[in-house]
Amino acid sequence: MSANIVAFLYLVSGVCFILALRGLSNPESARLGNIFGISGMAIAVLTTLTISATTNILDGMLIILGITIGGGIGIYIARKIPMTAMPQLVAAFHSLVGLAAVLVAAAALYAPAAMGIGSPGNMHMSSLVEMGLGVTIGAITFTGSIVAFTKLQGLVSGSPLTFPKQHLINLLIGISLVLMIIAFSLTESHFIFWALTFTALLIGILIIIPIGGADMPVVISMLNSYSGWAAAGIGFTLGNTALIITGALVGSSGAILSYIMCKGMNRSFFNVILGGFGSDNNSVSSDTDENRPVKRGSAEDAAFIMKNAGSVIIVPGYGMAVAQAQHALREMVDELKKAGVSVSYAIHPVAGRMPGHMNVLLAEAQVPYDEVYELEDINSQFSQTDVTFVIGANDVTNPAAKTDPQSPIYGMPILDVERSGTVLFIKRSMASGYAGVQNELFFRDNTMMLFGDAKKMVENIVKSL
């Protein structure tokens, strides 16, 4: 296969990835976007396979073996993984992209001739810079994603894990990374390369561990961006146009999404990276909170209130995802519509554990797209709504974000559910949310708490309706 044909096919695959992002920007075109993405990847893989098979049959067989093993694992995971575990799955996949960048950089260091970047001891300066940047970003992505996975999976506390002088230590390590990249580019030293790698692995852990649970959606988006730039670094090292285009698309879109989410939380990107919501002292509700009176209700009470309402807004959160209650929720909404109740859904930018988590769950339950609204589009409607039905969304409905300057979430835009005539709040217990902050909404006069498993509670409401 000629070089021109290879370049053309890689360009086509890159265009497919661009069309995939375009399609994924809208729920109605998301399926077509996925098809474009699959097609682009298929073209890129088959092109690479053809190149390898024509030059060395053994290389081609190894690629096929890798595709078979990796594809088999991917199919198994896709079939078995529940939607609630999607955030940690994404984090785990990001770690693999980072690891791939590290391994490709190491391969280029020991076999530069095979990569077409020079010979041992005489590599191109530009290639050394690319390798240094690629291995740094890849290593940070690898360990950072693993830490994010452990937090999302509950293996490590979701509260920020701070340590003395952490900002100063991180700054010094960051400066040392820059100096090592420069030194490696000038000397091509194997020792400096591995020192750079292990230092980057360390900083990946140190920058994610202090970040609290409520910031995890931003962290996932940020790591997505890192993985994109790591892939672009691999592309430069290998001279692969498709990887460069794909990595740049993922990196830039992840960065833009991180910015949008930080704006939605009224926080700066650096504020997220340098700290996190919550603290160990707030992670469990105090005795005072546990003993404060709340208005308790039953499924029958909730059914009666909503059936006699003119309008209801549903606010889904991670509790809905954990209970897998989206299908029961859709059934409840259908019953309310039959009773003449107007129903819509309100989604906070950081509801759940990753960007778009709630949108995906509602789409899985075939909720019409035109009934789902983002925060800025629906917040003004709460004051005119008879009932707001909150199912597992804690931190994003907490009025303390507006009223308590001492609260860790102060300043974060929230859904103004407290302005509704009545708030029905499904929750297992009075425990604080993922940010480690008690929700003042629980104790409002217009709030009725519905304690129990979200799915069972909604199913009982459906029966009462």
Side-chain angles (χ1 to χ4, degrees):
M1 187 181 295
S2 68
N4 288 336
I5 294 177
V6 170
F8 174 74
L9 290 175
Y10 281 149
L11 179 61
V12 171
S13 71
V15 171
C16 286
F17 292 137
I18 294 172
L19 294 174
L21 280 182
R22 173 64 178 169
L24 292 171
S25 64
N26 188 295
E28 296 181 358
S29 59
R31 187 181 297 274
L32 181 60
N34 271 321
I35 293 174
F36 275 121
I38 293 170
S39 301
M41 184 56 68
I43 292 172
V45 170
L46 289 174
T47 301
T48 302
L49 181 60
T50 302
I51 295 172
S52 300
T54 53
T55 55
N56 190 322
I57 190 65
L58 180 59
D59 288 346
M61 292 176 65
L62 288 173
I63 292 175
I64 293 174
L65 179 62
I67 292 174
T68 303
I69 296 174
I73 294 173
I75 291 172
Y76 176 80
I77 292 175
R79 289 182 176 276
K80 295 294 183 180
I81 199 75
M83 284 302 301
T84 51
M86 196 58 64
Q88 47 265 52
L89 176 66
V90 171
F93 282 171
H94 287 163
S95 73
L96 297 179
V97 178
L99 180 60
V102 173
L103 295 177
V104 168
L109 178 66
Y110 287 96
M115 301 287 187
I117 58 174
S119 57
N122 190 31
M123 279 191 272
H124 305 151
M125 174 66 76
S126 59
S127 298
L128 291 171
V129 174
E130 293 161 7
M131 288 167 58
L133 291 172
V135 75
T136 301
I137 298 172
I140 292 173
T141 304
F142 176 60
T143 51
S145 298
I146 289 177
V147 174
F149 170 83
T150 59
K151 281 178 171 281
L152 291 166
Q153 188 67 17
L155 302 176
V156 174
S157 171
S159 297
L161 303 176
T162 58
F163 52 90
K165 306 289 185 181
Q166 69 180 58
H167 298 327
L168 177 61
I169 293 173
N170 289 347
L171 175 62
L172 293 175
I173 295 176
I175 294 173
S176 68
L177 284 175
V178 174
L179 295 177
M180 281 190 282
I181 291 174
I182 295 174
F184 172 70
S185 301
L186 295 174
T187 64
E188 197 181 317
S189 168
H190 288 209
F191 173 78
I192 295 177
F193 175 86
W194 289 113
L196 173 63
T197 302
F198 287 114
T199 305
L201 290 171
L202 175 62
I203 193 67
I205 297 173
L206 296 180
I207 63 174
I208 304 299
I209 275 187
I211 300 177
D215 285 331
M216 272 302 121
V218 179
V219 172
I220 293 295
S221 176
M222 177 189 72
L223 290 170
N224 179 53
S225 179
Y226 287 178
S227 68
W229 299 123
I234 296 174
F236 279 110
T237 302
L238 298 176
N240 189 301
T241 307
L243 267 177
I244 295 172
I245 294 174
T246 307
L249 287 172
V250 174
S252 57
S253 61
I256 293 170
L257 181 58
S258 298
Y259 169 77
I260 292 173
M261 296 183 72
C262 285
K263 186 178 179 180
M265 297 167 68
N266 194 31
R267 307 185 68 197
S268 70
F269 178 77
F270 290 105
N271 182 245
V272 173
I273 297 302
L274 296 178
F277 281 153
S279 67
D280 291 330
N281 295 331
N282 292 330
S283 60
V284 180
S285 303
S286 66
D287 292 337
T288 304
D289 287 333
E290 293 285 358
N291 295 327
R292 288 172 65 182
V294 297
K295 187 185 299 181
R296 296 171 180 261
S298 64
E300 292 76 15
D301 297 329
F304 177 82
I305 292 172
M306 286 192 288
K307 193 170 185 178
N308 289 280
S311 60
V312 174
I313 295 180
I314 311 290
V315 179
Y318 190 64
M320 182 190 77
V322 172
Q324 289 287 283
Q326 62 269 26
H327 297 285
L329 184 67
R330 168 65 194 274
E331 189 177 349
M332 183 192 81
V333 170
D334 289 342
E335 293 297 327
L336 289 174
K337 289 179 180 178
K338 291 178 184 178
V341 181
S342 173
V343 183
S344 54
Y345 299 80
I347 306 294
H348 192 279
V350 294
R353 294 293 184 269
M354 67 178 291
H357 198 184
M358 295 300 105
N359 303 74
V360 172
L361 290 174
L362 294 179
E364 184 186 25
Q366 298 184 338
V367 171
Y369 304 132
D370 57 0
E371 294 179 5
V372 181
Y373 296 89
E374 301 297 329
L375 178 145
E376 62 271 12
D377 298 321
I378 200 170
N379 237 6
S380 61
Q381 298 182 29
F382 283 106
S383 59
Q384 306 164 27
T385 300
D386 297 322
V387 179
T388 295
F389 186 81
V390 184
I391 176 168
N394 198 332
D395 301 318
V396 298
T397 62
N398 193 342
K402 297 184 294 183
T403 61
D404 183 7
Q406 303 303 315
S407 173
I409 64 172
Y410 182 71
M412 182 181 84
I414 63 165
L415 293 165
D416 296 329
V417 300
E418 77 279 2
R419 296 183 180 179
S420 306
T422 301
V423 178
L424 301 175
F425 207 118
I426 295 183
K427 206 171 186 302
R428 285 183 176 272
S429 68
M430 289 293 292
S432 58
Y434 201 45
V437 183
Q438 184 59 275
N439 193 341
E440 289 299 314
L441 181 65
F442 300 162
F443 312 104
R444 297 289 179 96
D445 292 336
N446 64 331
T447 299
M448 177 180 287
M449 300 299 297
L450 306 172
F451 292 110
D453 177 80
K455 184 176 182 180
K456 291 181 180 178
M457 180 62 70
V458 174
E459 288 173 345
N460 289 335
I461 291 174
V462 171
K463 292 177 182 177
S464 298
L465 288 171

